[in-house]
Amino acid sequence: MNSVMNSNVVGVGEVLWDLLLTGPQLGGAPANFAYHAHALGAQAEVITRVGSDDYGREIIRRFDEMGLPETTIQIDETVPTGTAKVVLSGDGLAHFTIQENVAWDNIAVTPEALVAASEAHAICFGSLAQRCENSCRTIRHLVAATRAGALRVFDINLRQQYYSRGVIEESLTLANVLKLNDDELPALAAAFSLGGSTENQIERLSQMFGLRVVALTRGANGSLLYQKDNDNNEVRWSNCQSRPVKVVDTVGAGDSFTAALVLGLLKKMDLDEINTIANEVARYVCSQPGATPSLPAEFARRFSI
């Protein structure tokens, strides 16, 4: 695949408003992921659910503005659009308090959602939207409905108490790509009794769940990628050091990394090149306020060559 422009990329799960002191910012990892994938040149959709309220209508309007179709946005007449209170610590790190009983807890398997999933070259999902039975069942159904060879990306995204070992294990079994950060790896190491070095733990996860790629982001310390070619059993590692950046906030940076990672994998780029570009995109997002800043056109050009 020479260009990512023909790639269909889907985020499934939560969309919400991050309620910052400076005002509401559109958020939710699957929505952030889809926005960045689209900004980098892919066709992107979000399968999610909003309330029949002002916040929900504004999400639809914003998606339209961002070039994300509204066909896969479901409207819930009974519960509100999701919100999260966000407090930024001095270093720009975000701490979330997420509202319960909201629209994205009730994502349904609609005909539009099934079409989007079955046509996806990559689908990205996390643990947060699986906190309630309805959405959990739907997400697993849609991920399982993807074509053979599609990237099934589990961006684990542990938030508050909204995850369990069972949800993580089921998700890892469904996935063939895992993205996690340096707070989340120790949680997985504890859950699955993984000892040894960081590399040992990543390799063990890959073996246990048949993962083709594991991506570990480490904030200011850059990122580590692991790739296993199951055809010839070849393993590759890529360790990318980050360069300093003035952090405004870290919201959405991990999602932008995942988007760049996915597009690089779809384009079959060299692993070091993928790691470098994904780092640069994430670093840029850290330097801007909010999860979905406009990305410089240069980033999309790197995927279109």
Side-chain angles (χ1 to χ4, degrees), residues 68-235:
L68 299 175
E70 61 179 81
T71 46
T72 49
I73 306 177
Q74 304 166 18
I75 296 173
D76 196 301
E77 300 292 340
T78 56
V79 289
T81 300
T83 56
K85 289 197 179 75
V86 185
V87 178
L88 297 177
S89 54
D91 50 7
L93 289 174
H95 305 274
F96 298 86
T97 308
I98 300 158
Q99 185 187 355
E100 297 190 12
N101 194 26
V102 292
W104 56 258
D105 287 318
N106 298 311
I107 301 167
V109 178
T110 62
E112 296 84 358
L114 269 176
V115 167
S118 65
E119 292 180 350
H121 296 100
I123 192 165
C124 185
F125 66 108
S127 61
L128 176 57
Q130 296 185 68
R131 67 181 182 177
C132 289
E133 190 54 41
N134 287 351
S135 287
C136 183
R137 211 171 30 234
T138 294
I139 287 168
R140 289 179 191 172
H141 187 115
L142 293 173
V143 173
T146 54
R147 64 178 87 185
L151 297 177
R152 299 172 167 190
V153 184
F154 182 39
D155 184 355
I156 187 165
N157 208 22
L158 302 179
R159 292 280 181 255
Q160 292 170 228
Q161 75 281 18
Y162 298 126
Y163 59 91
S164 66
R165 190 187 189 281
V167 161
I168 291 168
E169 194 161 1
E170 286 282 337
S171 300
L172 287 167
T173 303
L174 270 175
N176 52 29
V177 177
L178 170 64
K179 147 73 172 53
L180 72 173
N181 65 30
D182 50 4
D183 288 330
E184 292 160 346
L185 182 58
L188 284 195
F192 298 109
S193 306
L194 309 174
S197 67
T198 295
E199 287 81 1
N200 292 147
Q201 292 171 1
I202 287 172
E203 203 146 16
R204 189 82 186 91
L205 281 169
S206 168
Q207 288 164 352
M208 286 172 77
F209 297 104
L211 301 168
R212 288 158 46 183
V213 175
V214 180
L216 175 69
T217 57
R218 301 177 295 194
N221 295 315
S223 51
L224 184 64
L225 300 186
Y226 167 95
Q227 185 173 42
K228 180 164 188 208
D229 186 333
N230 288 329
D231 293 335
N232 59 19
N233 236 10
E234 189 186 334
V235 166

